[in-house]
């Protein structure tokens, strides 16, 4: 029987930094369709509980990972008669950023297997059209950083300018000139210098910074 | 009764240039909800005939205006429990560009009243959240032009560089420096000089250009 209503879902590309590489979270599908395949975390809209699709995305991601992410935004909407064997489907794709120090908090609720895959090479034979979805989410993230957005939500609460630069470089896949990058951050209102707080290591102490109040992305 | 399935629609912000201003097409709603109010042309997904939502947008726009547009792309998806009195609804917003010389072809099929409103001031009391949708579509269009995209689909098949510059200026809402603009178009692969074709007027003949083959946007 032809279904009269499309399936409306959200899928979320959750990025973080692990071992100096940009990673995306995949979950192993337990149920049909495509059981055993790896996919972005996603779930069906519940009109009774979600006030909008941002809500759906937050609820789905929190249910699958146990964490609430500080940043989540739309990438694009994928749709069609054949992309899901259950029928006509609409997936609103979001991307989200998880601070690197919160990676251990992802519990893998519902005993789902999870993996943090290299965002640039997440593997072949993913479920549905999720390889396309990951590419689209990655393009959106890179595009923002190319346009001088600061991906502060990938960083811990306190970070050095070197960590910030490295995070941008991992997303862009290329080195940035340090003096140009530092000059760009002069009078940058989105970050604040944490008075008297330094990172001590083998080198000379490095000034620590934090995100400005009300910062988004 | 609570509806279990959301209403899935596409709405289209169709832009053109009329009388040296950027315009957006509105249609007067004949039916409930919001009868008599002005809205973007839009319509409900038909899973039996549409292969994806791009199809839906093309079909809806063609049905409401009688023209097939050369360019149509997604802006964002609007959703929620309260934005449409019929129930939980999802609208995938597209924007489209109509060449200025094709404006007369818009027939107003189905005897709907149409108006080409100033895109920057489309009027108050529009239906649903369509004022927000127009703002979002306009921001996407401006953003593309700010990033050096050429809105060739707003121009006739043959155009002068002055017309191209004016079109960009109308979208951006500010004047562009002519010599900077001309320099940027040097070796621009998206436009081709039409050998021996000139626009003759009160000034000296102006070289005519066309879009390169395979041009998008």
């Amino acid at each position: 029987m032809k279904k009269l209503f499309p399936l409306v879902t959200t899928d979320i590309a959750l990025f973080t930094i692990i071992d100096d590489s940009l990673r995306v979270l995949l979950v192993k599908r337990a149920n049909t369709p495509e059981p055993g395949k790896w996919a972005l975390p996603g779930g069906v809209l519940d009109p009774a509980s979600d006030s909008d699709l941002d809500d759906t995305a937050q609820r789905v991601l929190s249910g699958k990972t146990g964490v609430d992410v500080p940043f989540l935004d739309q990438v694009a909407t994928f749709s069609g008669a054949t992309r899901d064997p259950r029928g006509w489907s609409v997936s609103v794709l979001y991307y989200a950023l998880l601070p690197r120090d919160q990676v251990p908090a992802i519990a893998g609720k519902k005993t789902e297997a999870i993996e943090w895959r290299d965002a640039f090479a997440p593997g072949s034979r993913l479920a549905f059209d999720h390889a396309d979805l990951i590419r689209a989410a990655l393009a959106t993230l890179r595009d923002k950083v190319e346009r001088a957005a600061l991906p502060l939500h990938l960083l811990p609460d306190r970070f050095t300018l070197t960590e910030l630069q490295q995070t941008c470089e991992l997303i862009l896949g290329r080195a940035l000139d340090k003096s140009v990058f530092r000059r760009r951050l002069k009078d940058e209102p989105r970050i604040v210098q944490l008075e008297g707080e330094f990172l001590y290591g083998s080198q000379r102490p490095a000034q620590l910074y934090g995100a400005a109040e009300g910062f988004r992305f």
Side-chain angles (χ1 to χ4, degrees), chain A residues 178-190:
Chain A
K178 181 173 167 179
S179 61
V180 172
F181 189 77
R182 292 288 165 106
R183 214 176 307 133
R184 176 154 88 66
L185 295 181
K186 276 252 182 239
D187 307 314
E188 168 57 61
R190 290 168 291 185

Side-chain angles (χ1 to χ4, degrees), chain A residues 148-214:
Chain A
L150 298 174
L152 301 187
H153 285 310
L154 287 173
L155 294 156
D157 280 350
R158 294 134 42 99
F159 54 85
T160 65
L161 296 187
T162 301
E163 286 176 301
L164 178 55
Q165 181 175 343
Q166 282 168 349
T167 301
C168 290
E169 289 175 336
L170 292 174
I171 292 167
L172 297 175
R174 63 182 168 82
L176 298 171
D177 182 83
K178 181 173 167 179
S179 61
V180 172
F181 189 77
R182 292 288 165 106
R183 214 176 307 133
R184 176 154 88 66
L185 295 181
K186 276 252 182 239
D187 307 314
E188 168 57 61
R190 290 168 291 185
I191 60 173
V192 288
Q193 188 173 319
L194 301 174
E195 207 65 53
E197 299 194 41
F198 296 91
L199 179 71
Y200 297 95
S202 57
Q203 316 226 321
R204 70 183 170 108
Q207 174 69 52
L208 286 165
Y209 290 80
E213 198 135 350

Side-chain angles (χ1 to χ4, degrees), chain A residues 1-2 12 14 16 23 34 61 65 73 77 79 84 90 94 104 107 125 153 161 175 192 210:
Chain A
M1 199 189 83
K2 265 270 200 279
I12 302 103
L14 177 63
T16 197
R23 305 293 180 94
E34 313 243 30
L61 188 59
T65 67
D73 206 5
T77 296
S79 63
D84 188 311
V90 175
Y94 285 78
R125 294 177 31 76
H153 285 310
L161 296 187
V192 288

